[in-house]
Amino acid sequence: MLRVLKARYEQKHRTMKYPSGPLPALPDRFAGRPEIKGPCPEDCRACIGACPVNAISINNKCIAMDMGRCLFCRVCVTACPHGMIMFARNHQLSATRRQELIVSTGSPVKTEILSETARDIFGRSLKLRQVSAGGCNACEADSNVLGTPAWDMGRFGIQFVASPRHADGLLITGPVTANMRLALEKTYAAVPEPRVVIACGACAISGGPYIDHAETINGASSVVPVDLFIPGCPPHPLTILDGLLRFLGHEIPD
C-alpha cells in the first residue's frame, strides 16, 4: 500500500483541467470544423470530383459540405484551385439535428446542442453502452480514451457500462453492417426508457466510406432514432467530450 501511495504521489495530478482550464493540445495536423470562404468563382466542381464520399455539393456556385459524410481527409482543400475550402482548428462539431451538419458560407461556428431532457434527467449521471456496429476501431479507441486518467469523463458522471440494462443510452460507432442490425435493435430495446442515442463518427452518421455498400445500412439512423451526432473520421476525443458535455448542459467556454 505504501508503494502504491508513493507511486501515485510521484505521478502527480494527471487529469486535464478542461473545461474549467485551457484546451488540451491538439496535434498539428488536426482538422476541425470546415469553413467555406465563399461561392465557387468558376463553378469548377473540382472539390466534388476529389471528395471520396460525395460530401460536397454546389448549387448556384454555393458550396456546401456535409460533416456527417466528411472524412476530414482535406483532399478538397488541395483540389480547390481557388482556396474556397479550409479546415479550422475548431473542435466543436456536434449537432442534434442531421441537417445542422451541413456547412456552407456563413454557417455558425458551432450549433446549439443542449438537450433539456438529457440535462434534466442525465445531466449529473450518464451511463452509455458502446456498440461497435462494424467499425474499424478508430472511433472506438478515441471514445475509450475518455476513460483514462488524463481525460477522466467520469468526473462529469459519464461512464461506459457493460450491459444495456444498466445504460441510459447508446454510443454507436461503425456503419451498421447487415450482420449488426439485429444486434443493434436488440441492444436499443434493452436500454430502459428514457434513453438517448449518440452516433459517433462518419460511419455511424452516414455510412462513411461504406455508404450505400450492399452490406451496410448507412449508419445508426436507419435503425434507431439518433439524439446526438458527433462527426469525424475518427472524431478527436476532445470533439466527443465537447459534444457530450454540451448535450448535457455543461457550461463550455468558447
Side-chain angles (χ1 to χ4, degrees):
M1 176 61 74
L2 291 177
R3 288 197 299 271
V4 172
L5 293 174
K6 180 176 181 294
R8 187 65 190 89
Y9 174 78
E10 292 174 348
Q11 289 172 357
K12 306 299 182 183
H13 185 72
R14 292 189 174 187
T15 304
M16 65 185 68
K17 295 183 178 179
Y18 173 84
S20 59
L23 289 173
L26 294 170
D28 293 339
R29 288 184 53 79
F30 174 78
R33 191 177 186 86
E35 293 183 355
I36 311 299
K37 296 182 181 179
C40 182
E42 300 176 0
D43 200 12
C44 69
R45 297 177 179 264
C47 56
I48 293 179
C51 182
V53 289
N54 297 320
I56 302 174
S57 62
I58 298 180
N59 184 19
N60 294 327
K61 297 186 178 182
C62 294
I63 305 170
M65 181 181 294
D66 185 352
M67 291 194 298
R69 286 180 174 235
C70 182
L71 304 182
F72 293 77
C73 64
R74 290 173 286 199
V75 172
C76 56
V77 177
T78 304
C80 179
H82 309 291
M84 292 293 102
I85 302 174
M86 65 169 290
F87 286 83
R89 304 282 291 176
N90 183 359
H91 63 278
Q92 296 182 306
L93 310 179
S94 302
T96 51
R97 294 188 297 175
R98 180 67 178 84
Q99 59 268 33
E100 290 181 337
L101 296 179
I102 299 176
V103 176
S104 58
T105 305
S107 293
V109 296
K110 67 177 181 180
T111 60
E112 177 60 50
I113 62 173
L114 167 66
S115 167
E116 294 184 0
T117 301
R119 179 195 61 192
D120 295 342
I121 298 176
F122 307 122
R124 295 177 63 87
S125 177
L126 177 66
K127 311 302 180 186
L128 296 172
R129 175 67 169 98
Q130 188 177 2
V131 179
S132 178
C136 69
N137 204 42
C139 293
E140 293 85 344
D142 277 3
S143 300
N144 289 336
V145 78
L146 294 175
T148 62
W151 294 88
D152 189 20
M153 67 178 180
R155 60 197 163 114
F156 307 107
I158 307 171
Q159 293 178 319
F160 290 125
V161 294
S163 170
R165 298 291 187 188
H166 303 156
D168 302 310
L170 304 178
L171 186 141
I172 303 169
T173 56
V176 188
T177 60
N179 287 338
M180 276 299 297
R181 178 169 191 158
L182 180 59
L184 178 57
E185 290 174 343
K186 288 185 175 181
T187 304
Y188 176 76
V191 179
E193 296 183 357
R195 56 198 167 197
V196 297
V197 175
I198 300 162
C200 183
C203 287
I205 295 174
S206 66
Y210 311 103
I211 192 168
D212 293 331
H213 192 283
E215 294 185 4
T216 68
I217 56 174
N218 295 347
S221 294
S222 300
V223 182
V224 294
V226 174
D227 301 288
L228 178 65
F229 301 91
I230 305 178
C233 186
H236 190 278
L238 181 60
T239 296
I240 302 172
L241 182 60
D242 168 78
L244 293 174
L245 292 181
R246 291 198 290 126
F247 182 67
L248 294 174
H250 290 260
E251 292 292 332
I252 305 296
D254 295 328

